[in-house]
Amino acid sequence: MSQNDPVVNPLDRRSALAGAGVAAAALTLAAACGSDDSTSRGTSSAAATSSGAPTAAPLTSTSDVPVGGGVIVGDTVVTQPAAGAFSGFSTTCTHVGCKVNKVVNGLIECPCHGSTFNLDGTVAHGPATRPLESHPVKVQDGNIVRA
Ligand code: FES
């Protein structure tokens, strides 16, 4: 029975080597995750402490928004259903979240499944059933800004 001992010893060495590899990989992952967390926390804290001026950056000029139409600026649709009456809405379609991408013939269009919205954000044609989320805007010195 003493001849079985050399067979057992190589298996133990393999097991030990495999265990060491797994432990090294786990330490590497833990170190990588730890450094990412501290970096992102530091970055977001610095961004949150930036000085806040009371004036908002303009989304667009009032002259760029056609009466009876609208324009898409970033994540906001700015419409002017009647002269001098401006509204803002999220570009996220309320159907399943695509971005509306056009304002044509008085309708805000979603390219994904054909929903259209009126210039007041209400549904003109489904499959969406809920209005676009409001992004309040106001006129400031001839520009449209977030309210
Ligand atoms: S996500 Fe806009 S119509 Fe489907």
Side-chain angles (χ1 to χ4, degrees):
M1 291 311 225
S2 66
Q3 292 175 346
N4 289 341
D5 289 342
V7 174
V8 173
N9 284 340
L11 289 177
D12 287 344
R13 286 184 195 136
R14 287 183 195 138
S15 297
L17 288 173
V22 169
L27 287 172
T28 302
L29 285 172
C33 291
S35 65
D36 284 347
D37 284 350
S38 62
T39 300
S40 64
R41 282 182 194 136
T43 301
S44 57
S45 294
T49 58
S50 64
S51 64
T55 57
L59 292 169
T60 188
S61 168
T62 55
S63 61
D64 291 337
V65 184
V67 176
V71 295
I72 295 173
V73 184
D75 66 350
T76 302
V77 185
V78 179
T79 65
Q80 187 176 190
F86 297 93
S87 296
F89 304 96
S90 168
T91 56
T92 302
C93 179
T94 57
H95 178 224
V96 292
C98 288
K99 297 295 184 186
V100 298
N101 67 348
K102 289 191 264 187
V103 183
V104 177
N105 296 328
L107 294 173
I108 303 164
E109 298 181 357
C110 179
C112 289
H113 311 102
S115 289
T116 56
F117 300 87
N118 298 304
L119 297 179
D120 64 358
T122 58
V123 175
H125 185 272
T129 58
R130 293 173 290 121
L132 293 174
E133 178 185 325
S134 177
H135 275 194
V137 295
K138 64 181 179 183
V139 176
Q140 187 175 62
D141 300 326
N143 292 315
I144 305 294
V145 298
R146 289 273 180 100

